[in-house]
Amino acid sequence: MASLLMASSLFLGVGAAVTSNNALAGERAAETRDNAVEQEEQASDPLSGATIDAALVYYQEQDRVTAAEGIINYRQALDDANIIRGKIALDALTGASANGAVIQANPQSFTRPSGTGVYQARAGELPLDDTFKDTRLQLSVNWQHLFSAKWQASLGGYLSREYDYTSLGVNAGLEHSFNQSNTQVFAGAAYYFDIVNPVGGRPVGMSEMVFRKDFASEAEFRQAFDATRFYDSALKRTLDLNLGITQTLNRCWQAQLSYGLSAVNGYLNDAYKVVSRVDSRGQALGYHYEQRPDERLKHNLYLMTKGALESGTLTFSYRYSNDDWSLQAHTFDARYRYNLSGAAYWQWQFRVYLQDAAEFYHLYLTEGEPLPEFASADHRLGKMQTYTIGVKYGQRLEQGMLASVRLAYYQQRPQNPGVELPGELTSFDQFPRLDAIVLQFGMRF
Amino acid sequence: MRTDLTLLLILVALLSGCANLGVKPWERGQFAREDMQLEADELDMAIEDHIYFSKEGASGGRTLAGGGCGCN
């Protein structure tokens, strides 16, 4: 997804290359000769000027989701002014995902999203929907055109398809380089059109989950279940705008500042999440399907700086996110690359993410009180901190190939945003930690 | 007061630095290095962004954000 949309970032690398080419007239003449040789080679070898990045990713959460993903990125310089990129990714997910319900002292049962059968949570354990399973195919293409050393543009298309979700997107970007190529300003826009078809239909927001055991016949249950569902497809539209500037600070450091605006509307619920309704003793009396607003306006401010050290590079970034769901987040990321020699390197990464809860986040609903217009117990909309520590080793092989392996540990610590816990809810950690590892093998040809 | 003065001095130092931002074309050697390209870790970052997009409430910012999957 993201790689296709990085018109602006991709420009920067090319911009630097263009700049360094313009240093001296003598160098230019030599490069022209080299380019001529290169073009001749390209004419005879269609893969000349091509870079292929392939990666295999394994993601494993403790006792929950497992995901495996294969990605191939293809980049081909057609000539001095045109570059095309293509990406294909295939991923498979399986495992269990928290459904939003609170932990109870007694076992809990939930009707499966399809309406057929139940899944259960043991006493004292976080309720997990164990039917989480999906396969996703993602394709994207991007064309980058350099009008001159100072102006360039890109156009791209995107398609992602999974069992219950389809996404189509287009994007465009423009970049201008000036001030002796010390400054680049860029602007980009993307539009996505998504079609959502959840398994078993879309739950009616805030409707209560029904159970087969409460009905005399399957037909009666089905009728009640259908009353909690919409069976048509839902749409989600996203418009993203991005404006930014990259500035060379000195011989070793450059910095980037960008502002992103994202306007989303349509179906923004997670069809598989519920909110428990509890009494004053903290005992769950029922479960309501979540309901989020159908619009969201997000702002992101991103600041990044990257510097050259004698033995490697240092990169720091900070992102401030805010939206009209009152979800605020701060993200800090630091990377240090240490080049062992011309052929190998280590890279360490540390990331911290701090998030405040969305205004309609409810750990539970209270029995006897009117249902709110919007409510979600999805911990991803709650207060949390997350930490990532990663290390990567890259080794250049023969014929210019680069192999890498990366291992990262991701920890998510959901927190109580200040909700009072009645009765038995206090007996359990209602905000359990999530631990995951990411193992990635990469190869560049 | 002392903190205010320190901040003011830092700000003045930064602003005076701004007047001299940038380098001459022949001073760009470090930026031509492969590891100094802003897209050097692009694939890693795209993979990470996808994971964070599906596990956290905020997303995007680094590049154009977007829809793209039903994971959030």
Side-chain angles (χ1 to χ4, degrees), chain A residues 92-340:
Chain A
L93 288 93
T94 181
S97 181
N99 73 353
V102 289
I103 302 174
Q104 293 280 279
N106 294 309
Q108 301 181 80
S109 291
F110 303 91
T111 302
R112 289 192 189 281
S114 62
T116 308
V118 294
Y119 61 93
Q120 286 171 324
R122 279 185 285 199
E125 287 192 1
L126 184 73
L128 302 172
D129 180 350
D130 59 2
T131 51
F132 193 47
K133 200 172 189 177
D134 216 338
T135 306
R136 186 177 72 110
L137 174 69
Q138 181 204 312
L139 299 169
S140 59
V141 289
N142 183 270
W143 169 51
Q144 183 182 344
H145 180 70
L146 285 74
F147 295 102
S148 67
K150 293 191 170 183
W151 286 95
Q152 47 190 309
S154 79
L155 279 176
Y158 171 91
L159 167 71
S160 169
R161 177 87 179 98
E162 53 200 286
Y163 183 71
D164 57 356
Y165 202 93
T166 305
S167 178
L168 295 162
V170 289
N171 61 82
L174 187 68
E175 183 180 294
H176 178 49
S177 180
F178 60 100
N179 185 20
Q180 292 190 313
S181 290
N182 283 305
T183 310
Q184 286 85 35
V185 289
F186 54 88
Y191 181 77
Y192 291 91
F193 182 81
D194 300 352
I195 304 160
V196 195
N197 284 304
V199 174
R202 281 176 294 131
V204 174
M206 302 312 298
S207 66
E208 190 171 352
M209 182 181 279
V210 291
F211 293 92
R212 173 67 184 85
K213 65 177 174 53
D214 298 331
F215 295 87
S217 70
E218 180 65 25
E220 282 176 53
F221 165 69
R222 191 42 75 169
Q223 193 180 6
F225 181 78
D226 286 350
T228 69
R229 302 277 141 170
F230 297 115
Y231 286 105
D232 56 335
S233 295
L235 303 178
K236 176 180 161 188
R237 299 178 188 86
T238 306
L239 177 66
D240 289 338
L241 300 171
N242 187 264
L243 283 174
I245 180 167
T246 305
Q247 174 68 44
T248 302
L249 303 177
N250 55 35
R251 289 178 185 219
C252 295
W253 287 86
Q254 55 188 328
Q256 188 179 85
L257 175 69
S258 69
Y259 166 72
L261 177 75
S262 184
V264 196
N265 75 58
Y267 186 72
L268 305 183
N269 294 351
D270 185 322
Y272 310 119
K273 299 281 188 243
V274 298
V275 190
S276 305
R277 191 181 79 249
V278 305
D279 61 16
S280 56
R281 293 169 303 163
Q283 290 182 352
L285 303 177
Y287 309 99
H288 294 261
Y289 296 104
E290 70 157 42
Q291 176 68 51
R292 307 178 187 191
D294 60 3
E295 286 188 335
R296 188 178 185 185
L297 188 65
K298 304 194 279 184
H299 308 271
N300 273 309
L301 195 64
Y302 177 75
L303 180 64
M304 188 271 289
T305 182
K306 181 165 187 168
L309 308 175
E310 214 165 282
S311 57
T313 59
L314 260 178
T315 311
F316 300 101
S317 72
Y318 166 71
R319 177 186 68 173
Y320 173 70
S321 309
N322 197 350
D323 66 28
D324 59 358
W325 287 3
S326 294
L327 192 146
Q328 262 194 73
H330 302 273
T331 312
F332 306 90
D333 190 286
R335 284 160 209 261
Y336 169 56
R337 170 165 161 158
Y338 178 71
N339 296 323
L340 292 168

Side-chain angles (χ1 to χ4, degrees), chain A residues 1 6 10 12-13 19 57 61 71 73 136 158 160 162 165 167 181-182 192 240 242 248-252 254 258 296 298 300 302 306 309 312-313 319 335 337 339 347 349 351 353 355 380 386 388 392 396 406 410 412 440 444, chain B residues 17-18 20-72:
Chain A
M1 168 195 68
M6 5 217 95
L10 292 169
L12 303 169
T19 313
V57 188
E61 291 173 1
I71 305 168
N73 254 356
R136 186 177 72 110
Y158 171 91
S160 169
E162 53 200 286
Y165 202 93
S167 178
S181 290
N182 283 305
Y192 291 91
D240 289 338
N242 187 264
T248 302
L249 303 177
N250 55 35
R251 289 178 185 219
C252 295
Q254 55 188 328
S258 69
R296 188 178 185 185
K298 304 194 279 184
N300 273 309
Y302 177 75
K306 181 165 187 168
L309 308 175
T313 59
R319 177 186 68 173
R335 284 160 209 261
R337 170 165 161 158
N339 296 323
Q347 182 160 286
Q349 179 211 0
R351 177 184 186 268
Y353 173 83
Q355 174 183 304
R380 293 173 300 184
T386 79
T388 307
K392 180 180 178 179
R396 201 164 282 287
R406 180 173 159 263
Y410 177 68
Q412 197 171 64
Q440 178 186 329
R444 175 175 292 179
Chain B
C18 288
N20 297 315
L21 281 183
V23 295
K24 298 296 178 193
W26 55 87
E27 296 175 323
R28 301 190 66 87
Q30 300 292 343
F31 299 107
R33 277 167 47 177
E34 189 186 356
D35 58 353
M36 272 301 284
Q37 303 311 305
L38 295 185
E39 60 182 284
D41 296 316
E42 197 45 65
L43 191 59
D44 294 0
M45 287 181 165
I47 289 166
E48 287 171 37
D49 282 350
H50 185 61
I51 292 170
Y52 300 139
F53 176 79
S54 65
K55 306 306 302 178
E56 298 169 354
S59 61
R62 190 176 64 80
T63 60
L64 283 169
C69 90
C71 45
N72 196 356

Side-chain angles (χ1 to χ4, degrees), chain A residues 21 27 42 90 101 119 233 286 298 333 353 398 401 431 437:
Chain A
N21 284 351
E27 280 183 17
Q42 277 183 20
L90 184 68
Y119 61 93
S233 295
K298 304 194 279 184
D333 190 286
Y353 173 83
E398 286 173 14
M401 289 194 292
F431 303 92
I437 55 155

Side-chain angles (χ1 to χ4, degrees), chain A residues 414-429:
Chain A
Q415 293 173 313
N416 188 339
V419 178
E420 252 183 60
L421 300 176
E424 70 174 62
L425 297 192
T426 53
S427 311
F428 307 102
D429 179 8

Side-chain angles (χ1 to χ4, degrees), chain A residues 60-66 95-97 128 434-435:
Chain A
Q60 171 78 63
E61 291 173 1
Q62 195 175 9
D63 304 324
R64 300 201 207 169
V65 172
T66 301
S97 181
L128 302 172
L434 173 75
D435 296 289

Side-chain angles (χ1 to χ4, degrees), chain A residues 10-60:
Chain A
L10 292 169
F11 285 159
L12 303 169
V14 177
V18 169
T19 313
S20 57
N21 284 351
N22 288 337
L24 293 166
E27 280 183 17
R28 272 207 299 270
E31 271 168 19
T32 309
R33 283 195 301 277
D34 289 347
N35 286 345
V37 172
E38 203 174 288
Q39 278 172 14
E40 265 177 41
E41 282 173 359
Q42 277 183 20
S44 58
D45 178 5
L47 279 181
S48 162
T51 307
I52 298 171
D53 267 306
L56 279 174
V57 188
Y58 177 74
Y59 171 87
Q60 171 78 63

